[in-house]
Amino acid sequence: MSSMIHDVLPTASVALMNYVLGELRCDEPAPLFGNSGLPGAVECLDHNVIIAMTPVTEPLFDQALLRCAATRRRDTLLIRHGFHPETIDPVRVDVALRSITGPLLLTDLSFFRDRDQGLHLVPARGGLSVKLGRHGVEIGTRLPWNCLWDRAAGLECAAAQIVRACRSENQI
Protein backbone atom coordinates (compact mmCIF):
# COMPACT_ATOMS: atom_id res chain seq x y z
CA MET A 1 0.00 0.00 0.00
CA SER A 2 1.05 3.56 -0.59
CA SER A 3 2.92 4.82 2.46
CA MET A 4 1.48 8.29 1.83
CA ILE A 5 -1.71 7.55 3.81
CA HIS A 6 0.36 6.18 6.70
CA ASP A 7 2.28 9.45 6.85
CA VAL A 8 -0.78 11.61 7.57
CA LEU A 9 -2.81 9.36 9.89
CA PRO A 10 -2.35 8.89 13.64
CA THR A 11 -0.75 5.55 14.49
CA ALA A 12 -4.00 4.35 16.11
CA SER A 13 -5.83 5.01 12.83
CA VAL A 14 -3.23 3.02 10.91
CA ALA A 15 -3.46 0.14 13.39
CA LEU A 16 -7.26 0.00 13.16
CA MET A 17 -7.18 0.30 9.37
CA ASN A 18 -4.76 -2.64 9.23
CA TYR A 19 -6.96 -4.61 11.67
CA VAL A 20 -9.95 -4.30 9.32
CA LEU A 21 -7.92 -4.72 6.11
CA GLY A 22 -6.42 -7.91 7.51
CA GLU A 23 -9.87 -9.32 8.18
CA LEU A 24 -11.00 -8.42 4.66
CA ARG A 25 -7.76 -9.88 3.29
CA CYS A 26 -7.30 -6.73 1.26
CA ASP A 27 -3.64 -6.66 0.25
CA GLU A 28 -3.58 -3.54 -1.91
CA PRO A 29 -5.89 -0.81 -0.60
CA ALA A 30 -5.74 2.48 -2.48
CA PRO A 31 -5.93 5.90 -0.82
CA LEU A 32 -9.29 7.55 -1.42
CA PHE A 33 -8.79 10.61 -3.58
CA GLY A 34 -11.18 13.44 -4.23
CA ASN A 35 -13.33 15.44 -1.87
CA SER A 36 -15.37 12.78 -0.10
CA GLY A 37 -15.88 14.80 3.08
CA LEU A 38 -14.44 11.88 5.06
CA PRO A 39 -11.21 11.91 7.06
CA GLY A 40 -8.30 9.70 5.92
CA ALA A 41 -9.67 6.78 3.93
CA VAL A 42 -8.68 3.87 1.72
CA GLU A 43 -10.60 1.82 -0.84
CA CYS A 44 -10.52 -1.94 -0.99
CA LEU A 45 -11.56 -2.30 -4.61
CA ASP A 46 -11.85 -6.11 -4.52
CA HIS A 47 -14.65 -5.86 -1.96
CA ASN A 48 -16.20 -2.49 -2.93
CA VAL A 49 -15.43 -1.15 0.55
CA ILE A 50 -14.16 2.23 1.72
CA ILE A 51 -12.60 2.41 5.19
CA ALA A 52 -12.15 5.80 6.84
CA MET A 53 -10.57 6.44 10.22
CA THR A 54 -10.64 9.36 12.65
CA PRO A 55 -9.62 10.06 16.24
CA VAL A 56 -12.76 12.24 16.50
CA THR A 57 -15.14 10.26 18.68
CA GLU A 58 -18.24 12.38 18.05
CA PRO A 59 -20.52 11.28 15.17
CA LEU A 60 -19.78 14.26 12.90
CA PHE A 61 -19.48 12.52 9.55
CA ASP A 62 -22.88 10.84 9.00
CA GLN A 63 -23.83 12.96 5.97
CA ALA A 64 -20.39 12.59 4.38
CA LEU A 65 -20.57 8.83 4.98
CA LEU A 66 -23.96 8.57 3.26
CA ARG A 67 -22.89 10.82 0.39
CA CYS A 68 -19.66 8.88 -0.17
CA ALA A 69 -21.48 5.52 -0.17
CA ALA A 70 -24.06 6.83 -2.64
CA THR A 71 -21.71 8.53 -5.08
CA ARG A 72 -18.98 5.88 -5.04
CA ARG A 73 -21.39 2.93 -4.78
CA ARG A 74 -19.34 1.23 -2.10
CA ASP A 75 -20.04 0.06 1.44
CA THR A 76 -18.36 2.70 3.60
CA LEU A 77 -17.03 2.28 7.13
CA LEU A 78 -15.94 5.08 9.44
CA ILE A 79 -13.90 3.99 12.46
CA ARG A 80 -14.07 6.57 15.29
CA HIS A 81 -11.42 5.67 17.84
CA GLY A 82 -10.21 8.57 19.99
CA PHE A 83 -6.58 8.87 21.02
CA HIS A 84 -6.49 5.82 23.32
CA PRO A 85 -8.53 3.15 21.47
CA GLU A 86 -10.34 0.75 23.80
CA THR A 87 -8.18 1.66 26.80
CA ILE A 88 -9.87 5.02 27.47
CA ASP A 89 -11.79 5.84 24.30
CA PRO A 90 -14.31 3.31 22.97
CA VAL A 91 -13.94 2.41 19.31
CA ARG A 92 -17.16 2.86 17.36
CA VAL A 93 -17.88 2.18 13.70
CA ASP A 94 -20.47 3.84 11.52
CA VAL A 95 -21.39 1.99 8.33
CA ALA A 96 -23.22 3.14 5.21
CA LEU A 97 -24.31 0.03 3.30
CA ARG A 98 -25.12 0.17 -0.39
CA SER A 99 -28.68 -0.65 -1.35
CA ILE A 100 -31.01 -0.19 -4.28
CA THR A 101 -32.96 2.55 -2.50
CA GLY A 102 -29.88 4.40 -1.22
CA PRO A 103 -27.37 3.84 1.55
CA LEU A 104 -28.51 2.39 4.87
CA LEU A 105 -26.75 3.99 7.84
CA LEU A 106 -25.86 1.94 10.92
CA THR A 107 -24.16 3.92 13.69
CA ASP A 108 -22.24 3.33 16.91
CA LEU A 109 -21.38 -0.29 16.18
CA SER A 110 -18.74 -2.12 18.21
CA PHE A 111 -16.18 -4.68 17.10
CA PHE A 112 -17.11 -8.23 18.15
CA ARG A 113 -15.06 -11.42 17.68
CA ASP A 114 -17.24 -14.56 17.57
CA ARG A 115 -16.30 -18.06 18.74
CA ASP A 116 -15.18 -19.00 15.20
CA GLN A 117 -12.93 -15.90 15.13
CA GLY A 118 -15.20 -14.04 12.70
CA LEU A 119 -15.19 -10.25 13.04
CA HIS A 120 -18.52 -8.45 13.33
CA LEU A 121 -19.75 -4.93 13.94
CA VAL A 122 -22.62 -5.09 16.42
CA PRO A 123 -25.11 -2.64 17.94
CA ALA A 124 -25.40 -1.98 21.67
CA ARG A 125 -28.92 -3.36 21.60
CA GLY A 126 -30.86 -5.38 19.06
CA GLY A 127 -30.73 -4.53 15.39
CA LEU A 128 -28.68 -5.26 12.32
CA SER A 129 -25.08 -6.36 12.58
CA VAL A 130 -22.33 -6.46 9.96
CA LYS A 131 -19.81 -9.21 9.33
CA LEU A 132 -16.38 -8.37 7.92
CA GLY A 133 -14.52 -11.10 6.08
CA ARG A 134 -12.86 -12.28 2.92
CA HIS A 135 -16.15 -11.72 1.03
CA GLY A 136 -16.30 -8.09 2.14
CA VAL A 137 -19.12 -6.60 4.18
CA GLU A 138 -22.19 -8.74 4.85
CA ILE A 139 -25.28 -7.59 6.74
CA GLY A 140 -26.63 -9.89 9.42
CA THR A 141 -30.17 -9.99 10.72
CA ARG A 142 -29.23 -12.30 13.61
CA LEU A 143 -26.83 -11.12 16.27
CA PRO A 144 -23.69 -13.30 16.44
CA TRP A 145 -24.06 -14.38 20.07
CA ASN A 146 -26.30 -16.80 21.92
CA CYS A 147 -26.35 -15.22 25.38
CA LEU A 148 -25.05 -12.21 27.25
CA TRP A 149 -21.92 -14.13 28.29
CA ASP A 150 -21.08 -14.75 24.63
CA ARG A 151 -21.70 -11.10 23.86
CA ALA A 152 -19.39 -9.92 26.64
CA ALA A 153 -16.67 -12.39 25.65
CA GLY A 154 -16.80 -11.35 21.97
CA LEU A 155 -16.68 -7.62 22.75
CA GLU A 156 -13.82 -8.18 25.19
CA CYS A 157 -11.85 -10.30 22.72
CA ALA A 158 -12.11 -7.66 19.98
CA ALA A 159 -11.21 -4.85 22.40
CA ALA A 160 -8.12 -6.73 23.57
CA GLN A 161 -7.04 -7.31 19.96
CA ILE A 162 -7.48 -3.60 19.21
CA VAL A 163 -5.39 -2.60 22.22
CA ARG A 164 -2.61 -5.01 21.18
CA ALA A 165 -2.73 -3.79 17.56
CA CYS A 166 -2.52 -0.15 18.62
CA ARG A 167 0.31 -0.79 21.07
CA SER A 168 2.38 -2.73 18.51
CA GLU A 169 1.78 0.02 15.90
CA ASN A 170 3.06 2.64 18.39
CA GLN A 171 6.23 0.66 19.08
CA ILE A 172 7.37 0.60 15.45
Side-chain angles (χ1 to χ4, degrees):
M1 166 158 66
S2 167
S3 62
M4 181 175 64
I5 189 98
H6 288 92
D7 296 340
V8 297
L9 292 176
T11 55
S13 291
V14 173
L16 285 161
M17 175 184 62
N18 290 333
Y19 182 67
V20 172
L21 290 172
E23 196 66 31
L24 293 172
R25 297 184 187 138
C26 180
D27 296 330
E28 305 246 356
L32 183 67
F33 292 109
N35 185 8
S36 68
L38 292 175
V42 295
E43 290 182 280
C44 186
L45 299 174
D46 295 342
H47 300 308
N48 285 325
V49 176
I50 295 171
I51 304 165
M53 298 73 53
T54 183
V56 176
T57 57
E58 297 299 316
L60 302 176
F61 298 98
D62 289 354
Q63 292 307 312
L65 194 63
L66 287 166
R67 196 170 42 253
C68 186
T71 58
R72 305 219 181 212
R73 293 186 180 105
R74 293 192 182 0
D75 295 322
T76 307
L77 285 65
L78 174 65
I79 303 169
R80 297 182 284 118
H81 58 77
F83 291 101
H84 305 281
E86 295 294 18
T87 54
I88 296 174
D89 301 314
V91 176
R92 296 294 179 257
V93 184
D94 302 325
V95 180
L97 297 166
R98 300 175 276 144
S99 77
I100 295 170
T101 60
L104 170 67
L105 184 64
L106 305 175
T107 59
D108 289 326
L109 302 176
S110 299
F111 284 103
F112 175 90
R113 187 65 75 172
D114 68 23
R115 289 180 181 214
D116 296 328
Q117 294 306 303
L119 186 62
H120 303 262
L121 302 171
V122 298
R125 293 178 176 52
L128 298 174
S129 65
V130 175
K131 183 172 184 187
L132 305 174
R134 61 186 176 118
H135 299 296
V137 175
E138 301 173 16
I139 194 160
T141 55
R142 271 191 60 223
L143 294 172
W145 60 77
N146 294 326
C147 65
L148 291 178
W149 291 108
D150 282 348
R151 181 181 188 278
L155 292 170
E156 182 180 297
C157 180
Q161 289 174 345
I162 288 169
V163 169
R164 282 192 300 273
C166 290
R167 283 186 180 158
S168 66
E169 192 72 32
N170 288 328
Q171 295 172 357
I172 293 176

